[in-house]
Amino acid sequence: MLQDLLKAAGANDIVDVLPFVSGSWGGQGSPLDRTGPYLRRTVSRAPTATSGEIGRALGHARRYAPQIASLAPAARADILETASRTAVAHRDQLARLLALELGKPRKDSRTEIDRVASTFAVCAAEARRIDGENLPVAGWPTGIGNTALTYRAPAGVALAITPFNAPANLLAHKLGASFAAGNTTLVKAPPQAPAVSAAVVALLLDSGLPHQAVQLLHGGGETGAALCAADEVDVISFTGSAATGNAVARAAGAKRMALELGGNAATIVCEDADPAAAAAVCARTGYSNSGQSCISVQRVYVHRSNYATFLDAFTAAVDALVVGDPLDDATDVGSMVDEAAAERVVEWSKEAAGLGGTVVRGGTRDGATAAPTIVADPPRSASVVVHEVFGALVAVMPYDDFDAVLDECNASRYGLQAGLFTQDISRVITAWRRLEVGGLIVNGSSNFRLDHVPFGGVKDSGFGREAPRWLIDDYTVVKTLVLRGLSPWGELRELPKETP
């Protein structure tokens, strides 16, 4: 299947995508076409999961969960390491598929596939480290003479619901960590990236993943809701918008969940920072993937003493970005996911200008390609400040007081990640303590992530942490064993009294 998908993409044919259910590829649902946002033509087609296919997938997953749990961690790790090497071998072909389906520049798509390979390797390493504890029960009077042990057992059936903006790497995180933990996994692919999702699943199967370990289904919200509500599902990992995350939680009920939701990321540039260097970083990371990242640079607060210098340098760096064909290696900014998303950038920049901000660059689109947009000093009530843009727009605003700007950053309903440019360690510690975010990047923008470091947010940005080690915590349950009357630590409460 992997070769068929990659061959069709290489020949510029429509990529016919199938679900993978009960150990075989094939589906009977109504076809859903994916229009490539740059090409403006159908690039892939996948059948929407039928109720029968959803039922068969759930039954297959529940039936074979004990078998997958019985695989030794070393066996799981070997498969994941093979998958890492397979991803490297097909790097350019997979990157082309990403560029076609999503309009993501090919050089960024290659980086995503590099991350897929790295993520599978990290998942393999974490599979080898899954362990438990010998608890110190004998340190308390009620535990004397007893032994208590724990180990992390697979949760059983995991559901992975993946987003369109990084469909390959985030699927690698969710599916790789779930298999590393010993689960069988149901994957609900994003409608915007069915072929990429199928390619990652096929890559794993080609690398030795047992067919009992994964099911792949296509469709929209109805498919996701049916899977979330199913009694067969034990744990859910979801990445997407806050609104959809709330819908997932309502449908799921009292299930274990890890939700990585939206963001409205702020980056602070202090007076002791190099404004030109900070501007270069913010320009590069504010428009990568056309700003379609939950940690993309959206709000930049610059100390007033550096504001004009930063804005000039930032504008020059944005002007140097190459906008165009995602298949051209020179392109820095490709298309957004669809025309509606690009239109949101246009409309919100118009709103900000009407309220007193200045659109320094951009504010236009060509189909789904939004011109990199800079809005200078918009009012704090503007949508580009209050809401998640998730697009090729950055707002730049001056500030005067460090404590006050921390409060301004925290005014957002989101709290995923922030950036801070400063050489003052006291400011670093203060920001780390006071900013209501899951992660702080120092001397970098908000848009920086290491796949083996915990990643997740607070407030409406969700809960749980998405990185293999921390996802395995969510994908496993702690099981305790108590041995009464057996202890290697000693069993006496006091020594018998003896006459010296």
Side-chain angles (χ1 to χ4, degrees):
M1 179 54 67
L2 178 60
Q3 292 302 326
D4 291 341
L5 295 168
L6 298 179
K7 182 179 178 181
N12 288 325
D13 294 335
I14 295 176
V15 183
D16 285 314
V17 185
L18 297 172
F20 185 75
V21 177
S22 299
S24 63
W25 295 95
Q28 303 298 319
S30 302
L32 181 65
D33 288 354
R34 169 58 184 163
T35 299
Y38 183 82
L39 295 176
R40 307 186 197 188
R41 66 166 176 82
T42 300
V43 295
S44 60
R45 179 177 294 133
T48 300
T50 66
S51 59
E53 288 164 352
I54 292 172
R56 285 196 296 116
L58 289 165
H60 191 80
R62 173 53 64 199
R63 184 162 54 253
Y64 287 105
Q67 286 191 20
I68 298 305
S70 69
L71 275 178
R76 303 174 210 156
D78 288 344
I79 291 167
L80 290 164
E81 286 173 350
T82 300
S84 176
R85 294 190 294 270
T86 305
V88 172
H90 295 291
R91 176 182 186 245
D92 287 342
Q93 295 164 294
L94 290 166
R96 178 181 178 84
L97 194 54
L98 273 168
L100 290 172
E101 279 200 310
L102 295 167
K104 178 180 287 192
R106 185 148 61 175
K107 60 185 177 183
D108 289 342
S109 297
R110 289 193 187 102
T111 298
E112 181 169 348
I113 302 307
D114 290 341
R115 292 176 66 188
V116 168
S118 175
T119 297
F120 281 145
V122 173
C123 288
E126 295 300 339
R128 299 186 192 281
R129 285 205 290 254
I130 294 175
D131 59 10
E133 292 184 80
N134 184 348
L135 301 177
V137 293
W140 283 263
T142 54
I144 291 174
N146 301 299
T147 297
L149 307 170
T150 66
Y151 84 103
R152 287 201 163 270
V157 176
L159 170 60
I161 303 179
T162 53
F164 73 81
N165 60 320
N169 187 43
L170 292 182
L171 178 52
H173 271 273
K174 296 177 190 298
L175 179 51
S178 179
F179 179 63
N183 296 306
T184 184
T185 309
L186 297 152
V187 175
K188 210 292 282 182
Q192 304 90 340
V196 170
S197 304
V200 173
V201 170
L203 182 157
L204 277 160
L205 291 167
D206 286 357
S207 301
L209 187 79
H211 72 82
Q212 299 93 334
V214 66
Q215 319 267 320
L216 171 67
L217 295 165
H218 303 284
E222 289 185 3
T223 302
L227 291 167
C228 288
D231 291 337
E232 292 87 347
V233 172
D234 298 296
V235 58
I236 299 170
S237 175
F238 168 83
T239 300
S241 70
T244 307
N246 286 330
V248 166
R250 288 194 299 270
K255 290 187 175 78
R256 297 162 62 86
M257 278 182 284
L259 303 180
E260 197 270 279
L261 307 179
N264 178 2
T267 293
I268 301 169
V269 182
C270 296
E271 62 267 35
D272 64 337
D274 180 337
V281 173
C282 290
R284 186 174 66 252
T285 56
Y287 303 95
S288 60
N289 199 18
S290 294
Q292 296 172 122
S293 167
C294 47
I295 53 173
S296 187
V297 179
Q298 179 174 329
R299 298 178 291 157
V300 182
Y301 296 95
V302 186
H303 192 269
R304 196 172 298 276
S305 63
N306 283 333
Y307 179 73
T309 302
F310 176 93
L311 187 58
D312 287 346
F314 183 68
T315 302
V318 171
D319 286 342
L321 296 173
V322 177
V323 182
D325 185 351
L327 292 175
D328 185 339
D329 284 334
T331 297
D332 298 303
V333 182
S335 299
M336 294 186 65
V337 67
D338 53 36
E339 293 193 19
E343 181 62 19
R344 181 177 65 248
V345 171
V346 173
E347 291 301 317
W348 285 11
S349 61
K350 286 180 181 177
E351 180 209 57
L355 293 172
T358 302
V359 179
V360 178
R361 289 291 186 273
T364 61
R365 70 179 177 93
D366 179 5
T369 302
T373 300
I374 305 170
V375 179
D377 201 15
R380 304 313 184 253
S381 61
S383 294
V384 298
V385 179
V386 175
H387 303 298
E388 180 180 31
V389 175
F390 212 71
L393 185 153
V394 176
V396 183
M397 295 162 282
Y399 80 89
D400 297 294
D401 178 75
F402 186 68
D403 287 331
V405 80
L406 295 180
D407 291 337
E408 195 165 344
C409 292
N410 287 339
S412 173
R413 57 186 276 234
Y414 298 106
L416 189 53
Q417 201 153 272
L420 175 65
F421 287 88
T422 185
Q423 301 303 315
D424 185 340
I425 189 62
S426 67
R427 282 194 181 127
V428 171
I429 299 301
T430 297
W432 190 23
R433 183 181 68 248
R434 285 190 48 196
L435 284 174
E436 296 168 355
V437 293
L440 176 64
I441 309 300
V442 177
N443 291 325
S445 77
S446 60
N447 195 1
F448 180 78
R449 180 178 176 183
L450 297 173
D451 288 306
H452 54 289
V453 168
F455 177 80
V458 298
K459 301 194 289 189
D460 280 0
S461 289
F463 52 82
R465 292 297 179 263
E466 190 163 271
R469 174 184 159 192
W470 286 267
L471 268 176
I472 286 172
D473 285 351
D474 290 315
Y475 282 142
T476 55
V477 294
V478 175
K479 297 185 73 172
T480 304
L481 174 69
V482 177
L483 302 174
R484 296 196 62 189
L486 294 172
S487 175
W489 303 109
E491 301 176 355
L492 298 177
R493 293 179 178 271
E494 60 182 20
L495 289 175
K497 295 188 180 354
E498 296 181 1
T499 302

